[in-house]
Amino acid sequence: MAADKILNIGLLGYGHMGRTHAYCLSVLPFYAPSVAQHARLYGLCTAHPDSARTAAAGLGGVRVYDRPEDMIRDPDIDIVDICTPNVFHYDALRAAAQSGKHIYCEKPLCFDLKEADTVAGETSFPVYGRTCGIVFHNRFFPAVRLAKRYLEEGRLGRILQFRFDYLHNSCIFPDKPAGWKQDAAVCGGGVLFDLGSHMLDLLTYLLGPLDSLFAKEQIAFPVRTGRDGQTWTVNADEASYLLITLKSKAIGTLTVSKISSGTEDDLSFAIYGEKGALRWSLTDMDYLEFAEETSPNSYHGFTRIAVNGRYAGTDPDFPSAKAPAGWLRAHVGCYTAFLNAVLGGRAACPSFAQGAYVQYLMDRAQESARTGREVSLEREAPEWI
Ligand SMILES: NC(=O)c1ccc[n+]([C@@H]2O[C@H](COP(=O)([O-])OP(=O)(O)OC[C@H]3O[C@@H](n4cnc5c(N)ncnc54)[C@H](O)[C@@H]3O)[C@@H](O)[C@H]2O)c1
């Protein structure tokens, strides 16, 4: 790519995540100046052109497109960034692939496995010739990256067991109307797809591929008010519980829920090996807890390691390695990694192939919950680096 080339990014959707992605691009000059020189937010398209125009003005005059296909097919757009509800990912992904764009897409990759496999097949690297990345930003929390390093260095020894939890309280209020994330026709799967996609990625990223799983789903509030104000029957899981065996033979649990009172954004994991253990919680994100088992008499429990902004994958001097990291920082790290891959002509990591593998795991978990049986996971996982 020419040294002075600027990649024009077209953002599809400007809700919670569209704004998060726009934020990431706006702070790149500070966190990743060398990348910022080569990428800019150029276009915006949402379901509501009027509010898109207001947002675009606030973003400094970004071009507004009334129809997704107009933005996706515009030759001035180099990267399509998809932040729409899950059911709309597929059409946008296919249109972007047919137009030969680089693509950055929010998780889950698609609405179901068939769609995800089609998209991953059409955009596989290097045949497709462009870079396609999925947003699994939790890998980019500094403490998670340090945990990965400890695991790669073998500091925990053989992994024996684990616990991965992602708990919210957003569905415990029956009077709160359901949103699209509670409607299976729009999300494809409830909390399993929303929070579970993140956790299945994180589990595979840290501990490797899965061998089998047994899943149970729960709907605790079967009737609530729908988006149209009418009585509505809930059709997507409000919690999912997975008992998982890894290819490595480690066994553990993965719980995702939006019916956990008192929680807010409580992502946490604990990993127990024969030589030591790691614990981390998003609610205390700047500290990684580590325990070493050197002999039966030397047990001293967990030590808290202050990680803060170190290992964030962005400029280590901004604002300072000592400064607390924050939730948005992981999204900045994920976007920076994707843009670096585009600029370097490399495959993205996290990739669409990894996104399709996570979609496979979610599909098998739904199958297990439906049949009440443990399912084996025959599919080979893509490289997860
Ligand atoms: N990585 C994360 O941290 C994270 C967090 C939340 C959501 N997500 C994912 O991000 C995606 C969007 O979720 P959200 O919470 O931002 O949703 P949202 O409801 O807040 O926003 C959706 C946006 O998409 C627009 N939209 C809807 N249909 C459209 C269409 N057909 N064409 C163009 N625009 C359309 C809406 O106008 C809105 O701007 C989902 O796939 C979700 O799973 C990721």
Side-chain angles (χ1 to χ4, degrees):
M1 194 166 68
D4 56 351
K5 167 73 182 160
I6 295 186
L7 298 163
N8 287 330
I9 300 171
L11 186 56
L12 193 58
Y14 198 65
H16 180 53
M17 291 325 294
R19 281 178 288 152
T20 299
H21 290 205
Y23 168 85
C24 292
L25 294 169
S26 74
V27 298
L28 278 184
F30 307 100
Y31 285 112
S34 60
V35 175
Q37 289 171 40
H38 298 289
R40 67 175 170 201
L41 182 57
Y42 179 88
L44 178 64
C45 178
T46 77
H48 311 287
D50 287 343
S51 54
R53 267 178 257 288
T54 309
L59 289 165
V62 170
R63 181 169 171 189
V64 173
Y65 298 79
D66 287 354
R67 301 185 314 160
E69 56 271 32
D70 295 340
M71 186 177 78
I72 292 169
R73 299 210 173 103
D74 184 346
D76 288 340
I77 295 284
D78 301 289
I79 298 175
V80 175
D81 178 346
I82 300 169
C83 293
T84 52
N86 308 348
V87 73
F88 302 116
H89 287 195
Y90 182 69
D91 284 350
L93 285 162
R94 301 250 6 236
Q98 279 153 14
S99 304
K101 309 292 183 183
H102 304 284
I103 313 172
Y104 192 54
C105 183
E106 266 299 342
K107 51 56 56 180
L109 183 57
C110 286
F111 180 78
D112 62 27
L113 181 60
K114 189 161 174 265
E115 289 184 356
D117 282 344
T118 302
V119 167
E122 278 183 3
T123 59
S124 72
F125 192 89
V127 177
Y128 175 55
R130 297 284 187 276
T131 299
C132 297
I134 186 165
V135 184
F136 285 139
H137 70 281
N138 292 293
R139 299 185 198 184
F140 293 85
F141 285 107
V144 172
R145 291 164 73 92
L146 183 60
K148 171 87 167 159
R149 180 184 291 199
Y150 274 31
L151 289 160
E152 284 173 351
E153 289 172 357
R155 295 180 71 162
L156 273 63
R158 181 169 61 102
I159 304 304
L160 307 175
Q161 56 179 214
F162 56 86
R163 168 190 66 74
F164 280 62
D165 295 334
Y166 203 170
L167 311 177
H168 283 190
N169 68 348
S170 48
C171 287
I172 59 164
F173 309 103
D175 296 340
K176 188 178 160 195
W180 68 260
K181 287 178 187 168
Q182 284 88 49
D183 183 353
V186 182
C187 63
V191 176
L192 177 67
F193 275 37
D194 192 17
L195 306 182
S197 55
H198 280 308
M199 296 311 268
L200 287 165
D201 170 66
L202 206 51
L203 173 64
T204 315
Y205 172 68
L206 291 172
L207 298 183
L210 285 68
D211 188 61
S212 64
L213 64 80
F214 175 75
K216 262 187 178 298
E217 291 182 350
Q218 182 181 18
I219 294 176
F221 300 96
V223 179
R224 59 171 77 229
T225 308
R227 279 170 288 163
D228 57 2
Q230 304 296 308
T231 301
W232 188 69
T233 305
V234 176
N235 60 9
D237 59 295
E238 295 171 326
S240 277
Y241 309 86
L242 277 61
L243 177 64
I244 294 170
T245 306
L246 301 181
K247 299 276 185 215
S248 70
K249 308 286 182 227
I251 297 176
T253 59
L254 189 153
T255 302
V256 287
S257 161
K258 289 193 179 175
I259 49 171
S260 301
S261 310
T263 61
E264 298 240 44
D265 198 22
D266 288 17
L267 186 166
S268 69
F269 61 75
I271 300 167
Y272 304 97
E274 57 186 353
K275 292 201 305 197
L278 285 171
R279 288 196 305 221
W280 182 70
S281 169
L282 181 58
T283 59
D284 193 16
M285 69 167 74
D286 292 311
Y287 292 90
L288 180 67
E289 296 193 313
F290 177 54
E292 255 177 323
E293 298 283 19
T294 46
S295 78
N297 300 323
S298 68
Y299 182 71
H300 56 270
F302 282 85
T303 302
R304 277 163 66 80
I305 302 166
V307 186
N308 295 314
R310 298 174 186 89
Y311 319 106
T314 51
D315 181 350
D317 295 327
F318 182 79
S320 151
K322 295 177 191 303
W327 183 82
L328 287 162
R329 184 72 167 274
H331 272 283
V332 176
C334 193
Y335 218 142
T336 301
F338 166 71
L339 290 172
N340 266 321
V342 175
L343 293 166
R346 298 190 304 273
C349 188
S351 66
F352 277 13
Q354 294 163 0
Y357 181 72
V358 166
Q359 196 100 35
Y360 165 72
L361 298 177
M362 298 189 306
D363 180 82
R364 298 300 287 153
Q366 286 181 319
E367 167 77 6
S368 171
R370 217 171 12 244
T371 60
R373 296 212 178 96
E374 184 174 32
V375 293
S376 59
L377 303 164
E378 314 292 352
R379 185 177 285 202
E380 201 172 320
E383 222 178 336
W384 217 273
I385 48 170

